[in-house]
Amino acid sequence: MTTTRPAEPPAGPGYVHGYAEPVRRSHGRRTVANSAAFLRPRLRPGLSVLDVGCGVGTLTADLAAHVAPGRVVGVDSSAQVLAAVGEAAAARGVAVELAVADAGALPFADGEFDVVHAHQVLQHLPDPVAALREMRRVCRPGGTVAVRDADYATVHWHPQTPGLTAWLSGYRTTARAAGGDPDAGSRLLGWARAAGFSEVVPSASVWLFATPDERAWWGGTWAQRTESAPLADRLRADGLDDDDVASAARAWREWAAEPDGWTTMVHGELLCRP
């Protein structure tokens, strides 16, 4: 069961990926096990959870399963993508409330939630410290604010190819031009301190893609995202030409087909007490 609040603020300029099918498919594989394991020890039945920037909601639904019968609310800046959260919740048989909201102005009372969570969100925001202050505000004293973000400076492939190197450089340029920080994972600690958190537990984890199925999924979705709107348009606006974009997408597919292909990406993580 889901409930949705109707108001929708303008989408922020920092989200470069949009919600095309390959993006939804990629994000739809996220679970507590593969994307929020650092938070798992603090989850228990009956807790209330706010999932900020919930996207398609598979991770939100999994959080709901971990804290059932506790209240879970997912918020995102796009009403369009929130429809998918209802599908994810129904598939898991859990209840999730939904609201369209800006991470920098959350429509909730002080101390309303036991856990406030954001996965791969702060990297897209022009003011991540303001968002963390809001997350701190709506978290109860003694509760947990949990954030996890990728650090694109740590992405490594084998075999390394010029096309993938150019893609990474172009993506990081585009993410910054849109007002975000693609290397957010390594900035989290400083942002949390600036937001006023005094008790912070930092950690890091790695996504690895090395099996044939993992390479086909990761490389295939990134190839499609790279050559599709809105990311392709943003890459072109920020310096890549049509041949560069096509070359980058082709490089992803070639890497996915490489029997020895290997990719890692490091993520920064924080567990914070208000």
Side-chain angles (χ1 to χ4, degrees):
M1 180 181 69
T2 60
T3 56
T4 307
R5 303 181 186 189
E8 179 170 8
Y15 192 61
V16 300
H17 299 283
Y19 298 105
E21 187 277 334
V23 177
R24 298 195 305 272
R25 179 157 39 95
S26 176
H27 293 180
R29 288 184 56 157
R30 294 173 180 173
T31 64
V32 170
N34 64 33
S35 299
F38 73 112
L39 174 59
R40 177 65 187 87
R42 297 198 183 185
L43 299 176
R44 65 179 187 274
L47 292 181
S48 58
V49 178
L50 175 64
D51 193 18
V52 179
C54 63
V56 298
T58 53
L59 181 49
T60 315
D62 203 18
L63 288 167
H66 278 76
V67 302
R71 176 193 182 204
V72 175
V73 181
V75 301
D76 202 277
S77 62
S78 170
Q80 170 195 359
V81 78
L82 287 179
V85 184
E87 297 172 8
R92 293 297 301 272
V94 295
V96 176
E97 298 174 36
L98 303 175
V100 179
D102 187 320
L106 296 170
F108 305 104
D110 294 359
E112 189 167 342
F113 296 94
D114 298 307
V115 176
V116 183
H117 168 266
H119 183 263
Q120 312 295 0
V121 173
L122 297 180
Q123 64 186 276
H124 300 295
L125 302 181
D127 193 345
V129 173
L132 282 166
R133 288 195 186 105
E134 271 292 271
M135 294 170 71
R136 178 171 173 255
R137 179 186 65 79
V138 301
C139 187
R140 68 164 176 81
T144 297
V145 172
V147 293
R148 183 175 192 255
D149 270 275
D151 185 342
Y152 278 82
T154 69
V155 177
H156 178 72
W157 296 274
H158 176 79
Q160 192 73 252
T161 66
L164 289 176
T165 299
W167 171 86
L168 181 57
S169 176
Y171 176 80
R172 292 174 76 203
T173 296
T174 286
R176 289 196 174 94
D181 188 335
D183 305 335
S186 59
R187 313 284 196 261
L188 295 179
L189 186 58
W191 291 344
R193 287 165 54 84
F197 289 101
S198 57
E199 182 183 336
V200 179
V201 179
S203 60
S205 58
V206 177
W207 276 350
L208 166 66
F209 306 99
T211 69
D213 287 347
E214 289 168 346
R215 287 195 304 271
W217 169 68
W218 188 245
T221 57
W222 266 114
Q224 290 178 292
R225 290 159 74 171
T226 297
E227 64 191 3
S228 302
L231 183 55
D233 295 335
R234 291 181 184 262
L235 290 169
R236 293 186 185 99
D238 295 320
L240 298 187
D241 60 26
D242 289 347
D243 288 343
D244 294 329
V245 172
S247 176
R250 184 168 59 251
W252 271 114
R253 293 189 171 98
E254 290 171 351
W255 171 82
E258 171 58 55
D260 299 328
W262 176 287
T263 288
T264 52
M265 174 188 284
V266 175
H267 299 77
E269 305 161 342
L270 296 181
L271 294 173
C272 310
R273 298 286 192 193

